[in-house]
Amino acid sequence: MRGQASPQSAMFSYVSLEERVPASHPLRKLRMLVDSVLASMDDEFDAIYARVGRPSVPPERLLKALLLQILFSIRSERLLVESLDYNLLYRWFVGLGIDDDIWDHSTFSQNRDRLFNEGLARIFFERVKALAQWGRLTSSEHFSVDGTLIEAWASHKSFKPRDGSGPPVGPGRNPEADFKGQRRINDTHASSTDPDAQLFRKSHGAEARLAHMSHVLMENRNGLVVDVDTTPANGTAEREAALRMIRRQCRRGATVGADKGYDTHDFVAGCRKAGVTPHVAAKRTGSALDGRTTRHAGYKSSLKVRKRIEEAFGWLKTVGGLRKTKLIGREKLAGQALLCFATYNLVRIGSLTGWWDAKHV
């Protein structure tokens, strides 16, 4: 018998969000982990909020909403707020009731400097890493390091002389621009949209782009990210950031794998000064390595495992939405990169322990 669609909606509805979310849904365990991490950050949240005045949107809800944006590749905060309004799964994860009002999307911008800065994001990242260490999922002996370009939210037309010279700007909202014959370098030019962005190309033959750099130190056992750094895009940033992360995270006797771009005398000497063995892919000529390092079987193993770091970068750009940042300024990007890699680690922990199933995303 054919069922009939009734245009009359029910006057009352009794909906339990707990019943709507399947018991086997991976977000259940993810929310347990995130709630435990955020509960440990109560002192940090208390320090950045006044004790009197109008109550704000709870910072835990804002942070969990941003994790959803990263996890489900929601392209904007405006669309995120819209999704929170009608998606019962998102409401349940953030901690909203079925009848609770949703905050305005501008709330994220208003809390960018206070709540989503690099300091709090790094605390959240470190607490997630502590969960992996507690579960004995990380290695303290073997690491890999690499960097990637994150395109800035700025166009080549915004890259103008610092002294204000140059041809006059044409009429209209998007005037024509001709850069032929001009020498445009970071010393004399800067973006009027994002002054922190640098004009840089990753390799010979590649196009120059306004970009920032994000650097990652990965442990080799399970491919978890143990440190993140965000820097200007230049030719030495990768090696300088790598040495900073090595000094912060690696104990003496550890090994660090890297590609040929790190095969320089200053980087190899910096690793050895820190008591770390540089398992760097050796150049055919002029390599800073010698047989003391390359003769061991562990060297070949490190070169093979280090390629897994590209999985983290690929996730960051395809799922995390940071192929091109929508934030202006390197400080804001640093906090966003830490949140993205913390989310990556949470998903990775779920995969390693067996409760994360990608079909739900």
Side-chain angles (χ1 to χ4, degrees):
M1 178 179 176
R2 177 184 175 183
Q4 299 295 323
S6 174
Q8 179 66 41
S9 58
M11 183 175 298
F12 302 102
S13 178
Y14 301 95
V15 178
S16 171
L17 293 182
E18 282 291 335
E19 295 177 359
R20 293 292 183 179
V21 179
S24 61
H25 200 286
L27 282 188
R28 283 192 174 274
K29 291 189 177 180
L30 181 64
R31 192 178 76 160
M32 291 174 57
L33 292 180
V34 172
D35 285 343
S36 65
V37 170
L38 294 177
S40 70
M41 296 175 62
D42 274 342
D43 292 339
E44 286 80 7
F45 292 144
D46 287 340
I48 62 175
Y49 284 92
R51 297 189 179 275
V52 296
R54 187 179 64 180
S56 68
V57 178
E60 295 87 350
R61 290 184 178 180
L62 292 175
L63 280 168
K64 286 197 285 187
L66 280 186
L67 294 185
L68 283 176
Q69 182 183 14
I70 296 167
L71 194 60
F72 289 91
S73 307
I74 301 173
R75 66 176 182 268
S76 70
E77 289 159 0
R78 189 185 296 269
L79 185 58
L80 171 63
V81 170
E82 180 183 335
S83 301
L84 282 171
D85 196 19
Y86 61 74
N87 193 310
L88 297 184
L89 176 66
Y90 293 178
R91 278 181 172 268
W92 170 84
F93 184 83
V94 171
L96 290 167
I98 191 68
D99 295 321
D100 289 344
D101 293 331
I102 306 298
W103 57 85
D104 190 78
H105 67 89
S106 62
T107 305
F108 291 103
S109 299
Q110 294 167 359
N111 286 273
R112 189 80 62 193
D113 295 332
R114 175 174 59 180
L115 186 59
F116 308 132
N117 55 61
E118 182 178 3
L120 277 178
R122 186 168 291 280
I123 292 173
F124 182 81
F125 175 85
E126 291 293 335
R127 302 288 168 84
V128 172
K129 185 176 72 174
L131 290 176
Q133 292 171 339
W134 177 78
R136 298 183 179 181
L137 299 175
T138 59
S139 168
S140 60
E141 299 177 348
H142 305 292
F143 300 88
S144 298
V145 68
D146 204 356
T148 189
L149 284 180
I150 296 180
E151 192 173 350
W153 195 259
S155 69
H156 278 274
K157 291 181 181 181
S158 72
F159 197 61
K160 302 175 182 178
R162 295 178 184 269
D163 58 7
S165 62
V169 179
R173 180 174 176 271
N174 191 18
E176 294 291 333
D178 185 7
F179 312 127
K180 187 175 182 180
Q182 297 183 23
R183 188 169 184 263
R184 290 151 42 93
I185 58 176
N186 293 310
D187 293 338
T188 59
H189 289 62
S191 171
S192 58
T193 304
D194 186 354
D196 290 341
Q198 300 283 303
L199 192 65
F200 185 75
R201 61 179 181 179
K202 184 71 171 177
S203 60
H204 294 291
E207 74 279 9
R209 295 180 291 174
L210 287 167
H212 307 277
M213 268 192 171
S214 183
H215 314 269
V216 162
L217 183 69
M218 178 193 76
E219 59 82 31
N220 285 359
R221 178 181 297 169
N222 289 311
L224 290 163
V225 176
V226 296
D227 205 352
V228 181
D229 204 351
T230 303
T231 67
N234 59 59
T236 61
E238 285 188 301
R239 298 187 294 275
E240 292 170 355
L243 289 175
R244 284 196 299 271
M245 293 188 292
I246 288 170
R247 287 191 287 265
R248 287 199 297 254
Q249 303 294 337
C250 299
R251 65 184 186 182
R252 300 186 69 86
T255 66
V256 175
D259 59 32
K260 290 183 180 179
Y262 294 83
D263 186 9
T264 62
H265 291 281
D266 58 343
F267 178 75
V268 172
C271 287
R272 288 175 175 161
K273 184 178 180 180
V276 173
T277 303
H279 284 180
V280 178
K283 299 176 182 176
R284 292 186 178 179
T285 58
S287 176
L289 297 178
D290 52 34
R292 292 178 299 170
T293 301
T294 58
R295 65 184 178 182
H296 296 288
Y299 174 76
K300 295 181 180 180
S301 178
S302 291
L303 293 187
K304 182 177 180 180
V305 176
R306 71 166 181 84
K307 297 178 182 179
R308 293 184 61 185
I309 203 168
E310 298 298 339
E311 297 177 10
F313 287 141
W315 192 95
L316 176 77
K317 295 185 177 184
T318 57
V319 179
L322 274 187
R323 182 191 64 82
K324 181 172 184 177
T325 178
K326 296 180 176 63
L327 303 177
I328 302 299
R330 192 164 53 251
E331 291 183 2
K332 296 178 181 178
L333 174 61
Q336 183 70 6
L338 282 163
L339 287 176
C340 282
F341 282 117
T343 308
Y344 172 81
N345 279 347
L346 286 169
V347 174
R348 188 82 186 108
I349 291 171
S351 298
L352 292 169
T353 54
W355 55 261
W356 182 261
D357 190 347
K359 71 181 182 182
H360 291 278
V361 179

